[in-house]
Amino acid sequence: QVQLVESGGGLVQTGGSLRLSCAASGRTFSRYSMGWFRQAPGKEREFVAAVGWSGGSTYYADSVKGRFTISRDNAKNTVYLQMNSLKPEDTAVYYCAADRVGDRLGPMAPNYWGQGTQVTVSS
């Protein structure tokens, strides 16, 4: 069992930056691929970014490529999402996810989800 807790969301102006964190419980964190998804009001949840078990492989949605960076620190059981050049269309609840298959990035098949953190980008 893995529990995921996101933090770092908030309100930011267009062009600003935020860094999301996801703290994971459990000793098997380093075996999982980790990712971020988001869900805007009235829309389906969509994939944002993923990182493999070692941190050496990453995969991004086209909509965030070049603006967002995913990384992980296995010693701290934490995955991060650095979001730069934010746009109003990035406004959503962001969810952290864990996939037992450590090298499955695109598409991920999450086994565990966090509760979500709100990101709001004002125009």
Side-chain angles (χ1 to χ4, degrees):
Q1 187 75 11
V2 174
Q3 292 185 326
L4 305 172
V5 179
E6 302 96 334
S7 61
L11 174 65
V12 65
Q13 291 186 333
T14 296
S17 298
L18 281 175
R19 189 175 84 152
L20 306 183
S21 299
C22 173
S25 66
R27 290 176 289 181
T28 58
F29 172 79
S30 63
R31 300 178 188 175
Y32 291 79
S33 65
M34 299 296 297
W36 290 93
F37 290 71
R38 66 187 182 186
Q39 187 168 18
K43 296 188 177 181
E44 293 187 353
R45 190 173 298 189
E46 64 175 3
F47 169 79
V48 175
V51 58
W53 65 273
S54 69
S57 300
T58 56
Y59 184 70
Y60 296 93
D62 288 343
S63 59
V64 306
K65 213 172 283 185
R67 300 188 298 123
F68 291 10
T69 302
I70 189 170
S71 61
R72 66 190 295 163
D73 185 338
N74 286 343
K76 296 182 178 180
N77 277 18
T78 302
V79 62
Y80 305 97
L81 185 68
Q82 178 66 45
M83 305 185 294
N84 298 329
S85 302
L86 283 161
K87 305 174 182 180
E89 51 263 44
D90 295 317
T91 295
V93 177
Y94 283 70
Y95 296 91
C96 179
D99 186 333
R100 290 196 189 104
V101 180
D103 58 357
R104 179 162 59 195
L105 302 184
M108 285 185 69
N111 303 102
Y112 304 101
W113 295 91
Q115 83 288 350
T117 186
Q118 177 70 47
V119 171
T120 303
V121 185
S122 63
S123 56

